[in-house]
Amino acid sequence: MVYSLLCLDHYCDKAETQDPKPSFLETPVQITPQSLDAVRPSMDKALSANNFSAMWQLKSRYGITLSAAQLKELLWQSLPPSFHWYVAPSAHNKIRMALDLMTHDDASKWVVCDFLKEVLQKKGQSETTVNLLVGSKMLSENALKETLNYFISRGRFHDAKAIKEQYSVSINSSKLEDELVKAYESGKSTCDLERILSLYDKDNEYCIVTLREILKTVATQPQDYSPELLGQNRSNFFDNYMKFINALLSHGVKEQMAVDAAMAKAVSTLAHKGLKWAYELKTSYQAKMDPAKLRVAMDKAVDLNKLFLLELITPFFANGKDAEEAIIGSLERLASKPDQYFGDYRDAKETLKKQLEKFDCWSLKAVNTLIKRAVENNDFYWAEELNRKYNAYLDPETLKNHILKEAEYVKRRGHTQPDYLADLFAPLKLIEHDNPGLPNAIQAAVDQICTMESFPLQQRVVNELIKFSDNLPG
């Protein structure tokens, strides 16, 4: 014992912070309690000299550990003003050895908890030191929660998850909400969202309610059909929105209103990516959408000349009747577009024919509009096809205007052969003979032709129109 004390006095002259190397002093010695009391003051001497080697030897040889008061003194002495890169390793090493030398009692536990608070308040806190305190297994539940929040706020989700798994401490609903809102607003990656969501207790009702509210709030924010909804850069609104909603849904967060709202926003992108996601929401989460909003989307697809989207949108309707009505409405809207919308009449004709054949449903309003377009462009072949296949009929006003236009053309050209009147009379077989407005339209055309400047075929035109009128029912 005397020899050991002499050696300890020698060590006290050289304060060390590195792990002491094993020596013969570490061989256990059996001594009486009275002798142990005589040795304990050496721990105070080693502590005052900051001699970690001597303290380690005392613990190793005699089992003497730091009291709570000694631990507190040593820890606070080791704490630097701030954890700069050049002081952090030394401070970390001193703290680690102090924890190795402490007594595992309640008093020391509260010292470690108080010390943690001091560390967290220091500038440039050292995560390694915080982890060291966690590893001591001396932290209270409140201290562990504070450490968990510390790691979360610094984006150290791996360390936070380790605390949750080892000590069953999870993020509370308030912190969960703050972190998710912050992650959404800053456009955090899916991995970060998954890490945040892994930190809450699945049985915590407050967290479950919070997640539902966040999902509903984000999903229902008003931004449908806006230019920002589907930007071109990586951080655009819709990508962030879709990523966030998917992360919550994949963790079992259930809120049907939010799912339906997300589907509506996905459809409103009028882009393949958005519509693909909408289909996933429909099939995986039973998302539904108001038929009126789907019809608005189809109308906008027509207005933007994105006709290929119509086939992608129609499966979202809950029933075939609603889908058919929407298709017919889109066809009617498309039929009323000017030739310039398609490029020219030839393109318009091809596009409209494809739409009719693709969906195999139409309305009289749609096909009657198309036969009118055909006659206005003297495309009697297609007009007759529309009449034959879809029972399309020309309206009296369009017939009258066509007759007058062709009569003016024949007059201007000075044609004398009746064959040149074929285009003038062609539409007469494309109109319903029992149309109540037809007689007046024919009479109006006759009256105006009679007032024209005389031309060779004028009387022939008048006679044919009167003959046609006389053969009408009634």
Side-chain angles (χ1 to χ4, degrees):
M1 185 189 306
V2 173
Y3 180 76
S4 298
L5 291 174
L6 289 173
C7 288
L8 289 174
D9 288 339
H10 171 69
Y11 286 132
C12 288
D13 294 333
K14 298 191 301 177
E16 299 179 10
T17 58
Q18 297 181 353
D19 285 340
K21 297 179 180 179
S23 71
F24 70 92
L25 291 177
E26 297 179 13
T27 304
V29 175
Q30 298 294 329
I31 60 175
T32 64
Q34 292 80 5
S35 300
L36 191 60
D37 290 339
V39 177
R40 280 198 176 96
S42 296
M43 182 65 84
D44 290 329
K45 185 175 181 181
L47 178 63
S48 63
N50 201 25
N51 191 331
F52 285 91
S53 294
M55 287 184 274
W56 185 265
Q57 296 290 351
L58 284 168
K59 178 186 177 183
S60 177
R61 187 164 177 78
Y62 304 109
I64 299 176
T65 55
L66 296 172
S67 67
Q70 290 172 326
L71 176 65
K72 181 175 182 178
E73 179 182 351
L74 187 54
L75 288 175
W76 261 259
Q77 286 177 357
S78 304
L79 190 64
S82 62
F83 284 93
H84 297 303
W85 66 272
Y86 51 86
V87 300
S90 176
H92 171 77
N93 199 35
K94 291 178 182 179
I95 294 168
R96 178 175 57 80
M97 287 192 286
L99 295 174
D100 288 340
L101 294 167
M102 72 178 176
T103 304
H104 287 74
D105 56 9
D106 288 342
S108 297
K109 176 178 180 178
W110 295 117
V111 169
V112 174
C113 291
D114 290 340
F115 183 68
L116 172 68
K117 294 180 180 179
E118 289 293 325
V119 171
L120 296 182
Q121 292 172 4
K122 286 294 179 182
K123 181 180 179 182
Q125 308 99 315
S126 172
E127 287 90 351
T128 54
T129 300
V130 176
N131 267 325
L132 187 63
L133 296 173
V134 173
S136 71
K137 298 186 178 180
M138 295 293 284
L139 295 180
S140 66
E141 184 177 354
N142 287 336
L144 286 168
K145 289 180 179 179
E146 191 172 349
T147 307
L148 180 80
N149 290 339
Y150 160 76
F151 281 130
I152 292 172
S153 63
R154 293 176 73 90
R156 304 272 297 198
F157 300 113
H158 178 75
D159 291 326
K161 187 175 182 180
I163 292 176
K164 178 179 182 292
E165 292 176 347
Q166 188 171 1
Y167 300 101
S168 299
V169 175
S170 56
I171 190 172
N172 61 35
S173 59
S174 178
K175 183 67 173 176
L176 178 62
E177 180 179 5
D178 291 343
E179 288 300 317
L180 285 176
V181 170
K182 183 167 59 176
Y184 176 67
E185 291 177 346
S186 61
K188 289 284 187 182
S189 67
T190 301
C191 291
D192 283 345
L193 289 171
E194 293 287 344
R195 288 166 183 153
I196 294 172
L197 290 167
S198 69
L199 299 175
Y200 82 95
D201 181 2
K202 301 297 188 297
D203 296 325
N204 188 321
E205 187 62 32
Y206 293 108
C207 286
I208 294 172
V209 172
T210 296
L211 289 172
R212 287 176 179 170
E213 289 301 315
I214 292 175
L215 178 61
K216 185 164 62 175
T217 299
V218 172
T220 58
Q221 55 186 305
Q223 201 164 351
D224 291 352
Y225 300 113
S226 65
E228 298 82 11
L229 188 59
L230 195 65
Q232 298 299 319
N233 54 40
R234 293 180 60 188
S235 61
N236 68 75
F237 167 80
F238 182 72
D239 279 352
N240 186 45
Y241 175 88
M242 180 171 61
K243 172 185 65 183
F244 188 83
I245 298 294
N246 276 340
L248 292 178
L249 292 177
S250 66
H251 273 262
V253 183
K254 297 179 180 179
E255 179 56 55
Q256 194 61 44
M257 180 189 297
V259 174
D260 294 346
M263 180 184 181
K265 200 175 297 294
V267 171
S268 68
T269 62
L270 294 179
H272 188 272
K273 177 168 58 177
L275 294 174
K276 180 182 177 182
W277 185 45
Y279 186 76
E280 292 173 1
L281 293 172
K282 181 178 184 293
T283 55
S284 300
Y285 302 101
Q286 295 73 53
K288 300 181 293 295
M289 190 170 170
D290 181 2
K293 287 190 175 182
L294 285 172
R295 286 195 290 270
V296 170
M298 294 185 74
D299 287 345
K300 286 188 174 292
V302 171
D303 292 342
L304 296 173
N305 200 7
K306 294 183 176 181
L307 305 182
F308 66 94
L309 296 179
L310 298 179
E311 288 182 284
L312 301 178
I313 297 174
T314 49
F316 299 138
F317 286 94
N319 57 69
K321 181 180 178 181
D322 288 340
E324 183 173 315
E325 289 178 356
I327 292 171
I328 290 173
S330 299
L331 186 61
E332 290 174 354
R333 193 180 190 89
L334 188 63
S336 64
K337 293 291 182 183
D339 291 343
Q340 293 80 357
Y341 167 89
F342 304 92
D344 55 29
Y345 173 72
R346 182 182 299 177
D347 294 334
K349 175 182 175 181
E350 291 303 314
T351 300
L352 292 165
K353 286 182 70 173
K354 286 180 180 178
Q355 293 300 310
L356 276 174
E357 294 167 359
K358 182 184 298 182
F359 293 109
D360 196 30
C361 61
W362 63 90
S363 67
L364 285 178
K365 178 181 177 181
V367 294
N368 287 347
T369 301
L370 295 181
I371 199 171
K372 176 181 177 179
R373 293 174 68 106
V375 169
E376 288 175 342
N377 286 275
N378 285 15
D379 187 356
F380 302 111
Y381 179 81
W382 189 37
E384 290 174 3
E385 181 182 330
L386 290 167
N387 176 258
R388 182 178 65 257
K389 292 178 64 174
Y390 305 104
N391 294 321
Y393 291 98
L394 196 63
D395 66 283
E397 185 66 19
T398 301
L399 175 63
K400 183 195 75 172
N401 293 336
H402 174 78
I403 291 172
L404 293 175
K405 181 190 72 172
E406 288 299 317
E408 183 64 34
Y409 176 79
V410 171
K411 177 179 76 69
R412 188 171 62 253
R413 289 288 186 173
H415 292 307
T416 59
Q417 297 299 320
D419 293 344
Y420 288 104
L421 298 178
D423 286 351
L424 189 151
F425 296 126
L428 293 176
K429 57 184 178 181
L430 301 175
I431 193 165
E432 290 180 293
H433 288 191
D434 58 352
N435 189 309
L438 182 56
N440 290 337
I442 296 295
Q443 186 60 51
V446 170
D447 292 343
Q448 291 189 48
I449 292 173
C450 290
T451 61
M452 288 182 180
E453 183 180 347
S454 179
F455 60 94
L457 295 175
Q458 184 178 31
Q459 192 58 46
R460 179 66 178 265
V461 172
V462 171
N463 291 341
E464 289 294 332
L465 290 176
I466 292 174
K467 180 180 177 182
F468 174 79
S469 182
D470 290 342
N471 290 327
L472 293 176

